[in-house]
Amino acid sequence: MTISTIEAETRKVDSDGIGVNRTTFKRNPEVAALVDQVLSRPLHRAAVPQYHQVNTNALRPGRELNRAFHRLLSKSKQELATRVIVLEEELLDLRQQLANRDRLVIEEQERRWR
């Protein structure tokens, strides 16, 4: 039995033929627990981001943005979220490097003026 089967069965017994949508099973903790029990497996799967698999080394200035956009459209939400987090971390690291460099430049200029 699958969650799709359960969803289809609820449509059969519903007089309007609407039934219960699969997302309802996930949102309602009591229903999710029952479905987990029936399916003998967890309904919710823990997302494990694969940060190490995101490669940003291939990014080049002047790349074809429209092509990159369409390539990213084929990615899942989890893949995109993982990529965004990796890029955010790289951005934060670059900002910190720039701040450190600026601090060193200012300190050097102050030493020269003394």
Side-chain angles (χ1 to χ4, degrees), residues 56-97:
T56 59
N57 295 330
L59 296 176
R60 300 284 181 253
R63 66 189 173 138
E64 176 58 44
L65 295 181
N66 195 36
R67 193 167 162 208
F69 174 78
H70 287 286
R71 181 179 48 81
L72 291 172
L73 284 177
S74 67
K75 304 292 183 190
S76 71
K77 287 181 183 179
Q78 182 176 346
E79 290 171 317
L80 292 172
T82 302
R83 187 169 184 84
V84 166
I85 289 171
V86 167
L87 291 170
E88 286 176 343
E89 289 300 309
E90 286 185 11
L91 175 64
L92 291 170
D93 186 50
L94 287 170
R95 284 181 179 171
Q96 187 61 51
Q97 288 177 28

Side-chain angles (χ1 to χ4, degrees), residues 4-5 10 12 23-24 28 38 57 64 68 78-80 86:
S4 297
T5 308
T10 64
K12 287 180 187 176
T23 57
T24 303
N28 185 319
V38 169
N57 295 330
E64 176 58 44
Q78 182 176 346
E79 290 171 317
L80 292 172
V86 167

Side-chain angles (χ1 to χ4, degrees), residues 1-14 17-26 31-43:
M1 182 178 286
T2 66
I3 196 158
S4 297
T5 308
I6 296 171
E7 183 181 25
E9 288 298 317
T10 64
R11 284 195 188 119
K12 287 180 187 176
V13 297
D14 183 1
I18 297 170
V20 179
N21 189 291
R22 69 183 69 218
T23 57
T24 303
F25 299 138
K26 295 176 184 178
V31 175
L34 288 172
V35 172
D36 288 349
Q37 189 177 2
V38 169
L39 296 178
S40 300
R41 61 181 169 76
L43 184 58

